[in-house]
């Protein structure tokens, strides 16, 4: 409890509560991600906007409309030309984004990763889901639903750190169920149409698949749509995130469950913390937090994860 209270008081101090310096309306912050128009990022954007209003600063959700790390890098470089006060970023590929993140921090622009991390970069710290733990949570449910036996197809996005961690979590959870085989890991490239077409191909070819697992937010509802159209029953689908379409398929009984993250919290808390660091002028680059015994920041702030199925669907729908 002492640790929790200490963190809470530190955040209050960072956000400038009480006396002392105040934010300026001219301060501009950015949240950079891939595909910002999807429901997941719109939810994060709502949290970002709420925090910006409370702080009386400017904030903008930006990024390419496709999952392309080079396009995301171009957006990052573009906003650096606008002299931002600070940047939140979800790196589609941490290897591609790392040099620019490091350059920004070296130039005095604080950078915090959210949703997906770039742990080898000079980013200050990561705010988001414990993705490995989320994968373990999903894997435990999957093993139970399959009764320890079956073929599973995963839907992924290549080179995205958070998704790799989720898959590793699933693998760890399934290690104690040797009867469950990972038949295929599909790179759906962040494109819902790819997920739809690949699922259709699996069904049309009568591929032996007992369960479909979405490691990202788009493919779950696409898988359910294909199975519904093809009148395929008896398959298990575990999705990711809580888009309205995903929740609708849970209600219909086609998706067994989804893993809920908290993108609103990532956007809201991310900006509050980032702006507080700017206000207190604490964002000096130096020894990584993980190896610094007197680091001013944590390495990771977990925004939480939970399983959503029919039993608690009403609590989540809004």
């Amino acid at each position: 409890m002492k640790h929790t209270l200490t963190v809470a008081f530190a955040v209050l101090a960072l956000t400038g509560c009480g006396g002392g310096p105040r934010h300026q309306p001219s301060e501009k912050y950015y949240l950079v991600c891939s595909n910002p128009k999807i429901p997941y990022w719109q939810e994060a954007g709502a949290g970002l906007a709420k925090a910006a209003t409370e702080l009386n600063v400017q904030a903008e959700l930006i990024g390419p409309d496709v999952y392309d790390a080079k396009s995301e890098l171009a957006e990052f470089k573009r906003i650096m030309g606008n002299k931002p006060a600070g940047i939140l970023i979800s790196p589609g590929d941490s290897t591609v984004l790392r040099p620019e993140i490091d350059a920004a921090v070296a130039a005095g622009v604080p950078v915090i990763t959210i949703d997906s991390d770039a742990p080898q970069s000079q980013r200050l710290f990561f705010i988001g889901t414990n993705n490995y733990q989320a994968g373990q949570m999903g894997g435990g449910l999957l093993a139970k639903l399959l009764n320890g036996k079956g073929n599973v197809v995963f839907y992924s996005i290549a080179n995205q750190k958070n998704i790799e961690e989720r898959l590793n979590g699933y693998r760890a959870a399934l290690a104690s169920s040797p009867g469950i085989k990972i038949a295929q890991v599909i790179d759906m490239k962040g494109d819902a149409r790819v997920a739809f077409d690949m699922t259709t191909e699996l069904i049309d070819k009568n591929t032996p698949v007992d369960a479909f697992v979405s490691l990202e937010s788009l493919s779950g509802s696409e898988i359910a749509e294909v199975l519904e159209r093809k009148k395929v029953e008896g398959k298990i689908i575990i999705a990711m995130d809580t888009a309205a379409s995903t929740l609708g398929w849970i209600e219909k009984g086609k998706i067994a469950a989804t893993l809920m993250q908290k993108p609103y919290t990532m956007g809201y808390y991310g900006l509050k913390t980032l702006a507080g660091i700017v206000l207190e002028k604490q964002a000096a680059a130096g020894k990584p937090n993980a190896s610094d015994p007197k680091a001013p920041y944590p390495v990771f702030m977990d925004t939480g994860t939970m399983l959503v199925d029919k039993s608690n669907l009403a609590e989540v729908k809004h």
Side-chain angles (χ1 to χ4, degrees):
M1 182 61 73
K2 282 185 178 180
H3 175 71
T4 303
L5 290 173
T6 301
V7 171
F9 289 140
V11 171
L12 288 174
L14 285 172
T15 52
C17 294
R22 295 293 179 187
H23 291 289
Q24 300 302 312
S26 59
E27 288 176 39
K28 182 67 179 281
Y29 298 86
Y30 293 91
L31 196 173
V32 186
C33 64
S34 294
N35 214 346
K37 294 180 181 179
I38 67 172
Y40 180 88
W41 285 115
Q42 288 295 302
E43 186 75 5
L48 182 80
K50 176 66 172 175
T53 299
E54 292 178 0
L55 293 168
N56 192 30
V57 299
Q58 302 175 53
E60 185 178 356
L61 172 67
I62 66 161
D65 291 339
V66 293
Y67 281 90
D68 178 70
K70 291 182 180 178
S71 297
E72 188 180 12
L73 177 64
E75 283 288 88
F76 194 102
K77 288 181 176 179
R78 180 182 69 80
I79 63 168
M80 278 299 293
N82 298 338
K83 300 186 185 305
I87 299 172
L88 300 171
I89 182 168
S90 175
D93 186 327
S94 60
T95 303
V96 173
L97 272 296
R98 176 184 173 179
E100 200 64 25
I101 291 172
D102 291 351
V105 175
V109 178
V111 179
I112 294 174
T113 51
I114 71 168
D115 179 65
S116 183
D117 196 13
Q120 304 307 316
S121 74
Q122 289 291 316
R123 56 83 171 125
L124 301 184
F125 51 87
F126 171 61
I127 297 176
T129 302
N130 185 326
N131 288 291
Y132 182 81
Q133 189 177 76
Q136 287 185 305
M137 186 184 298
L141 175 64
L142 180 62
K144 180 179 179 182
L145 294 175
L146 284 173
N147 292 315
K149 185 178 181 181
N151 296 319
V152 185
V153 171
F154 286 87
Y155 294 72
S156 179
I157 302 174
N159 300 317
Q160 194 157 315
K161 182 73 174 175
N162 54 345
I163 292 178
E164 291 174 358
E165 290 173 349
R166 287 172 205 159
L167 180 56
N168 288 338
Y170 267 97
R171 290 185 189 277
L174 297 177
S176 58
S177 300
I180 298 177
K181 308 296 183 184
I182 298 178
Q184 191 174 351
V185 178
I186 295 172
D187 178 10
M188 48 78 71
K189 306 179 189 303
D191 189 336
R193 295 168 298 180
V194 173
F196 184 94
D197 292 344
M198 292 298 291
T199 307
T200 300
E201 184 177 323
L202 289 170
I203 298 302
D204 287 347
K205 290 183 176 180
N206 293 316
T207 307
V209 182
D210 301 292
F212 300 86
V213 177
S214 175
L215 297 171
E216 38 60 55
S217 64
L218 295 175
S219 60
S221 56
E222 298 299 315
I223 299 163
E225 180 69 34
V226 171
L227 298 189
E228 179 82 356
R229 291 188 187 188
K230 298 287 186 178
K231 296 181 169 50
V232 175
E233 300 294 336
K235 307 294 184 183
I236 294 164
I237 303 173
I238 296 179
M240 192 77 202
D241 300 320
T242 51
S245 57
T246 299
L247 299 181
W249 285 114
I250 291 176
E251 193 165 32
K252 292 176 184 177
K254 208 69 179 180
I255 292 179
T258 191
L259 288 162
M260 186 186 81
Q261 302 183 86
K262 297 181 180 178
Y264 181 96
T265 305
M266 294 178 202
Y268 179 85
Y269 188 76
L271 180 55
K272 284 278 185 134
T273 308
L274 181 62
I277 288 169
V278 170
L279 192 67
E280 299 297 328
K281 296 180 172 56
Q282 294 184 5
K287 186 184 293 187
N289 294 333
S291 59
D292 186 354
K294 295 183 179 179
Y297 318 116
V299 174
F300 167 48
M301 294 183 180
D302 187 355
T303 51
T305 317
M306 65 179 283
L307 276 170
V308 178
D309 57 19
K310 275 191 173 183
S311 69
N312 59 353
L313 184 63
E315 300 171 26
V316 174
K317 291 184 71 175
H318 54 277

